[in-house]
mmCIF file of all heavy atoms in Angstrom:
data_model
loop_
_atom_site.group_PDB
_atom_site.id
_atom_site.type_symbol
_atom_site.label_atom_id
_atom_site.label_comp_id
_atom_site.label_asym_id
_atom_site.label_seq_id
_atom_site.Cartn_x
_atom_site.Cartn_y
_atom_site.Cartn_z
ATOM 1 N N GLY A 216 161.280 -304.123 -138.123
ATOM 2 C CA GLY A 216 160.776 -304.820 -139.298
ATOM 3 C C GLY A 216 159.475 -305.540 -139.036
ATOM 4 O O GLY A 216 158.566 -305.539 -139.865
ATOM 5 N N GLY A 217 159.372 -306.163 -137.859
ATOM 6 C CA GLY A 217 158.137 -306.847 -137.501
ATOM 7 C C GLY A 217 156.989 -305.876 -137.324
ATOM 8 O O GLY A 217 155.859 -306.138 -137.744
ATOM 9 N N TYR A 218 157.270 -304.741 -136.713
ATOM 10 C CA TYR A 218 156.254 -303.715 -136.508
ATOM 11 C C TYR A 218 155.733 -303.208 -137.848
ATOM 12 O O TYR A 218 154.531 -303.108 -138.059
ATOM 13 C CB TYR A 218 156.842 -302.567 -135.683
ATOM 14 C CG TYR A 218 155.895 -301.422 -135.471
ATOM 15 C CD1 TYR A 218 154.931 -301.474 -134.466
ATOM 16 C CD2 TYR A 218 155.958 -300.292 -136.282
ATOM 17 C CE1 TYR A 218 154.053 -300.419 -134.276
ATOM 18 C CE2 TYR A 218 155.086 -299.233 -136.096
ATOM 19 C CZ TYR A 218 154.137 -299.298 -135.096
ATOM 20 O OH TYR A 218 153.261 -298.258 -134.912
ATOM 21 N N VAL A 219 156.654 -302.898 -138.755
ATOM 22 C CA VAL A 219 156.259 -302.387 -140.065
ATOM 23 C C VAL A 219 155.486 -303.461 -140.836
ATOM 24 O O VAL A 219 154.461 -303.175 -141.453
ATOM 25 C CB VAL A 219 157.486 -301.899 -140.863
ATOM 26 C CG1 VAL A 219 157.113 -301.504 -142.280
ATOM 27 C CG2 VAL A 219 158.149 -300.736 -140.146
ATOM 28 N N ALA A 220 155.960 -304.698 -140.794
ATOM 29 C CA ALA A 220 155.276 -305.790 -141.502
ATOM 30 C C ALA A 220 153.869 -305.998 -140.959
ATOM 31 O O ALA A 220 152.941 -306.302 -141.721
ATOM 32 C CB ALA A 220 156.088 -307.074 -141.395
ATOM 33 N N ASP A 221 153.697 -305.844 -139.656
ATOM 34 C CA ASP A 221 152.366 -305.988 -139.062
ATOM 35 C C ASP A 221 151.414 -304.907 -139.536
ATOM 36 O O ASP A 221 150.212 -305.134 -139.631
ATOM 37 C CB ASP A 221 152.446 -305.944 -137.538
ATOM 38 C CG ASP A 221 153.031 -307.208 -136.942
ATOM 39 O OD1 ASP A 221 153.080 -308.238 -137.653
ATOM 40 O OD2 ASP A 221 153.451 -307.164 -135.764
ATOM 41 N N HIS A 222 151.943 -303.725 -139.841
ATOM 42 C CA HIS A 222 151.074 -302.603 -140.196
ATOM 43 C C HIS A 222 150.857 -302.426 -141.693
ATOM 44 O O HIS A 222 149.766 -302.012 -142.097
ATOM 45 C CB HIS A 222 151.617 -301.307 -139.585
ATOM 46 C CG HIS A 222 151.432 -301.265 -138.100
ATOM 47 N ND1 HIS A 222 150.221 -301.012 -137.506
ATOM 48 C CD2 HIS A 222 152.295 -301.492 -137.096
ATOM 49 C CE1 HIS A 222 150.346 -301.065 -136.200
ATOM 50 N NE2 HIS A 222 151.607 -301.371 -135.921
ATOM 51 N N ILE A 223 151.852 -302.734 -142.512
ATOM 52 C CA ILE A 223 151.652 -302.554 -143.958
ATOM 53 C C ILE A 223 151.759 -303.867 -144.729
ATOM 54 O O ILE A 223 151.564 -303.879 -145.934
ATOM 55 C CB ILE A 223 152.630 -301.512 -144.550
ATOM 56 C CG1 ILE A 223 154.079 -302.000 -144.524
ATOM 57 C CG2 ILE A 223 152.493 -300.174 -143.856
ATOM 58 C CD1 ILE A 223 155.034 -301.133 -145.333
ATOM 59 N N GLY A 224 152.067 -304.951 -144.055
ATOM 60 C CA GLY A 224 152.182 -306.255 -144.709
ATOM 61 C C GLY A 224 153.629 -306.601 -145.011
ATOM 62 O O GLY A 224 154.457 -305.718 -145.248
ATOM 63 N N SER A 225 153.911 -307.886 -144.993
ATOM 64 C CA SER A 225 155.294 -308.320 -145.210
ATOM 65 C C SER A 225 155.756 -308.068 -146.639
ATOM 66 O O SER A 225 156.916 -307.714 -146.871
ATOM 67 C CB SER A 225 155.459 -309.794 -144.839
ATOM 68 O OG SER A 225 154.602 -310.603 -145.610
ATOM 69 N N GLY A 226 154.868 -308.219 -147.608
ATOM 70 C CA GLY A 226 155.253 -307.995 -149.005
ATOM 71 C C GLY A 226 155.679 -306.562 -149.255
ATOM 72 O O GLY A 226 156.727 -306.312 -149.853
ATOM 73 N N ARG A 227 154.884 -305.618 -148.789
ATOM 74 C CA ARG A 227 155.235 -304.208 -148.969
ATOM 75 C C ARG A 227 156.507 -303.856 -148.208
ATOM 76 O O ARG A 227 157.327 -303.070 -148.680
ATOM 77 C CB ARG A 227 154.093 -303.321 -148.499
ATOM 78 C CG ARG A 227 152.916 -303.330 -149.431
ATOM 79 C CD ARG A 227 151.854 -302.358 -148.975
ATOM 80 N NE ARG A 227 150.729 -302.395 -149.883
ATOM 81 C CZ ARG A 227 149.488 -302.222 -149.529
ATOM 82 N NH1 ARG A 227 149.194 -301.978 -148.265
ATOM 83 N NH2 ARG A 227 148.532 -302.271 -150.412
ATOM 84 N N THR A 228 156.668 -304.429 -147.024
ATOM 85 C CA THR A 228 157.865 -304.162 -146.237
ATOM 86 C C THR A 228 159.105 -304.632 -146.979
ATOM 87 O O THR A 228 160.127 -303.926 -147.022
ATOM 88 C CB THR A 228 157.773 -304.849 -144.863
ATOM 89 O OG1 THR A 228 156.597 -304.389 -144.195
ATOM 90 C CG2 THR A 228 158.987 -304.562 -144.012
ATOM 91 N N ILE A 229 159.027 -305.813 -147.581
ATOM 92 C CA ILE A 229 160.172 -306.339 -148.331
ATOM 93 C C ILE A 229 160.485 -305.461 -149.536
ATOM 94 O O ILE A 229 161.651 -305.148 -149.803
ATOM 95 C CB ILE A 229 159.912 -307.804 -148.738
ATOM 96 C CG1 ILE A 229 159.870 -308.700 -147.492
ATOM 97 C CG2 ILE A 229 160.962 -308.295 -149.730
ATOM 98 C CD1 ILE A 229 159.338 -310.091 -147.739
ATOM 99 N N VAL A 230 159.455 -305.040 -150.252
ATOM 100 C CA VAL A 230 159.660 -304.182 -151.428
ATOM 101 C C VAL A 230 160.326 -302.867 -151.025
ATOM 102 O O VAL A 230 161.322 -302.444 -151.630
ATOM 103 C CB VAL A 230 158.328 -303.926 -152.166
ATOM 104 C CG1 VAL A 230 158.466 -302.814 -153.192
ATOM 105 C CG2 VAL A 230 157.841 -305.203 -152.833
ATOM 106 N N VAL A 231 159.804 -302.215 -149.992
ATOM 107 C CA VAL A 231 160.371 -300.938 -149.548
ATOM 108 C C VAL A 231 161.803 -301.143 -149.050
ATOM 109 O O VAL A 231 162.701 -300.342 -149.350
ATOM 110 C CB VAL A 231 159.484 -300.292 -148.462
ATOM 111 C CG1 VAL A 231 160.180 -299.103 -147.814
ATOM 112 C CG2 VAL A 231 158.148 -299.874 -149.052
ATOM 113 N N SER A 232 162.049 -302.215 -148.323
ATOM 114 C CA SER A 232 163.391 -302.484 -147.797
ATOM 115 C C SER A 232 164.390 -302.706 -148.919
ATOM 116 O O SER A 232 165.493 -302.136 -148.900
ATOM 117 C CB SER A 232 163.371 -303.709 -146.884
ATOM 118 O OG SER A 232 162.603 -303.463 -145.748
ATOM 119 N N LEU A 233 164.044 -303.533 -149.897
ATOM 120 C CA LEU A 233 164.963 -303.804 -150.998
ATOM 121 C C LEU A 233 165.202 -302.571 -151.853
ATOM 122 O O LEU A 233 166.324 -302.321 -152.301
ATOM 123 C CB LEU A 233 164.456 -304.972 -151.846
ATOM 124 C CG LEU A 233 164.517 -306.340 -151.184
ATOM 125 C CD1 LEU A 233 163.839 -307.391 -152.061
ATOM 126 C CD2 LEU A 233 165.956 -306.733 -150.892
ATOM 127 N N PHE A 234 164.153 -301.791 -152.072
ATOM 128 C CA PHE A 234 164.312 -300.562 -152.852
ATOM 129 C C PHE A 234 165.220 -299.576 -152.108
ATOM 130 O O PHE A 234 166.125 -298.985 -152.699
ATOM 131 C CB PHE A 234 162.944 -299.927 -153.139
ATOM 132 C CG PHE A 234 163.031 -298.705 -153.997
ATOM 133 C CD1 PHE A 234 163.292 -298.813 -155.352
ATOM 134 C CD2 PHE A 234 162.853 -297.448 -153.446
ATOM 135 C CE1 PHE A 234 163.386 -297.686 -156.146
ATOM 136 C CE2 PHE A 234 162.938 -296.312 -154.234
ATOM 137 C CZ PHE A 234 163.200 -296.429 -155.587
ATOM 138 N N THR A 235 164.994 -299.413 -150.807
ATOM 139 C CA THR A 235 165.832 -298.521 -150.000
ATOM 140 C C THR A 235 167.273 -298.999 -149.989
ATOM 141 O O THR A 235 168.214 -298.199 -150.096
ATOM 142 C CB THR A 235 165.286 -298.436 -148.560
ATOM 143 O OG1 THR A 235 163.932 -297.975 -148.607
ATOM 144 C CG2 THR A 235 166.112 -297.506 -147.704
ATOM 145 N N LEU A 236 167.459 -300.305 -149.874
ATOM 146 C CA LEU A 236 168.801 -300.873 -149.892
ATOM 147 C C LEU A 236 169.504 -300.585 -151.216
ATOM 148 O O LEU A 236 170.671 -300.175 -151.243
ATOM 149 C CB LEU A 236 168.726 -302.381 -149.646
ATOM 150 C CG LEU A 236 170.028 -303.151 -149.620
ATOM 151 C CD1 LEU A 236 170.915 -302.670 -148.482
ATOM 152 C CD2 LEU A 236 169.745 -304.637 -149.482
ATOM 153 N N ALA A 237 168.806 -300.777 -152.316
ATOM 154 C CA ALA A 237 169.397 -300.524 -153.640
ATOM 155 C C ALA A 237 169.786 -299.061 -153.800
ATOM 156 O O ALA A 237 170.888 -298.754 -154.290
ATOM 157 C CB ALA A 237 168.420 -300.941 -154.739
ATOM 158 N N ILE A 238 168.926 -298.159 -153.373
ATOM 159 C CA ILE A 238 169.220 -296.726 -153.490
ATOM 160 C C ILE A 238 170.393 -296.343 -152.600
ATOM 161 O O ILE A 238 171.320 -295.645 -153.032
ATOM 162 C CB ILE A 238 167.969 -295.889 -153.140
ATOM 163 C CG1 ILE A 238 166.858 -296.145 -154.150
ATOM 164 C CG2 ILE A 238 168.311 -294.401 -153.057
ATOM 165 C CD1 ILE A 238 167.187 -295.779 -155.576
ATOM 166 N N ALA A 239 170.363 -296.791 -151.341
ATOM 167 C CA ALA A 239 171.437 -296.434 -150.403
ATOM 168 C C ALA A 239 172.792 -296.938 -150.896
ATOM 169 O O ALA A 239 173.787 -296.198 -150.867
ATOM 170 C CB ALA A 239 171.127 -296.981 -149.012
ATOM 171 N N LEU A 240 172.834 -298.179 -151.347
ATOM 172 C CA LEU A 240 174.109 -298.721 -151.831
ATOM 173 C C LEU A 240 174.575 -298.019 -153.096
ATOM 174 O O LEU A 240 175.769 -297.750 -153.262
ATOM 175 C CB LEU A 240 173.983 -300.225 -152.082
ATOM 176 C CG LEU A 240 173.959 -301.099 -150.834
ATOM 177 C CD1 LEU A 240 173.639 -302.540 -151.205
ATOM 178 C CD2 LEU A 240 175.279 -301.022 -150.099
ATOM 179 N N SER A 241 173.653 -297.714 -153.981
ATOM 180 C CA SER A 241 174.030 -297.065 -155.245
ATOM 181 C C SER A 241 174.534 -295.646 -155.031
ATOM 182 O O SER A 241 175.389 -295.171 -155.776
ATOM 183 C CB SER A 241 172.843 -297.053 -156.204
ATOM 184 O OG SER A 241 172.476 -298.373 -156.531
ATOM 185 N N LEU A 242 174.025 -294.963 -154.025
ATOM 186 C CA LEU A 242 174.442 -293.584 -153.765
ATOM 187 C C LEU A 242 175.687 -293.492 -152.887
ATOM 188 O O LEU A 242 176.312 -292.438 -152.810
ATOM 189 C CB LEU A 242 173.303 -292.802 -153.108
ATOM 190 C CG LEU A 242 172.096 -292.497 -153.987
ATOM 191 C CD1 LEU A 242 171.016 -291.784 -153.177
ATOM 192 C CD2 LEU A 242 172.495 -291.663 -155.192
ATOM 193 N N LEU A 243 176.045 -294.568 -152.231
ATOM 194 C CA LEU A 243 177.162 -294.536 -151.287
ATOM 195 C C LEU A 243 178.473 -294.011 -151.889
ATOM 196 O O LEU A 243 179.138 -293.177 -151.257
ATOM 197 C CB LEU A 243 177.357 -295.920 -150.670
ATOM 198 C CG LEU A 243 178.172 -295.993 -149.396
ATOM 199 C CD1 LEU A 243 177.591 -295.101 -148.314
ATOM 200 C CD2 LEU A 243 178.234 -297.431 -148.900
ATOM 201 N N PRO A 244 178.873 -294.419 -153.086
ATOM 202 C CA PRO A 244 180.130 -293.881 -153.633
ATOM 203 C C PRO A 244 180.094 -292.373 -153.876
ATOM 204 O O PRO A 244 181.130 -291.725 -153.850
ATOM 205 C CB PRO A 244 180.307 -294.628 -154.956
ATOM 206 C CG PRO A 244 179.507 -295.863 -154.815
ATOM 207 C CD PRO A 244 178.345 -295.487 -153.944
ATOM 208 N N THR A 245 178.913 -291.819 -154.089
ATOM 209 C CA THR A 245 178.827 -290.382 -154.359
ATOM 210 C C THR A 245 178.996 -289.546 -153.100
ATOM 211 O O THR A 245 179.238 -288.345 -153.195
ATOM 212 C CB THR A 245 177.482 -290.025 -155.022
ATOM 213 O OG1 THR A 245 176.424 -290.294 -154.096
ATOM 214 C CG2 THR A 245 177.267 -290.815 -156.297
ATOM 215 N N THR A 246 178.859 -290.160 -151.933
ATOM 216 C CA THR A 246 178.971 -289.401 -150.684
ATOM 217 C C THR A 246 180.249 -289.724 -149.914
ATOM 218 O O THR A 246 180.401 -289.288 -148.775
ATOM 219 C CB THR A 246 177.771 -289.698 -149.769
ATOM 220 O OG1 THR A 246 177.787 -291.059 -149.395
ATOM 221 C CG2 THR A 246 176.463 -289.337 -150.433
ATOM 222 N N SER A 247 181.146 -290.475 -150.510
ATOM 223 C CA SER A 247 182.333 -290.929 -149.776
ATOM 224 C C SER A 247 183.208 -289.788 -149.275
ATOM 225 O O SER A 247 183.941 -289.945 -148.301
ATOM 226 C CB SER A 247 183.154 -291.893 -150.626
ATOM 227 O OG SER A 247 183.604 -291.258 -151.794
#
């Protein structure tokens, strides 16, 4: 996370992380 934040900025890292988290959690029941 620190490496990514250093290269693309902390704001973008947070946005990508939260978006990825939302997608992964939302798709989890479909792959059970």
Side-chain angles (χ1 to χ4, degrees):
Y218 177 82
V219 174
D221 287 343
H222 288 284
I223 68 169
S225 59
R227 287 184 180 146
T228 303
I229 293 168
V230 168
V231 170
S232 295
L233 290 173
F234 183 74
T235 302
L236 180 62
I238 296 299
L240 285 172
S241 297
L242 290 177
L243 198 56
T245 65
T246 64
S247 61

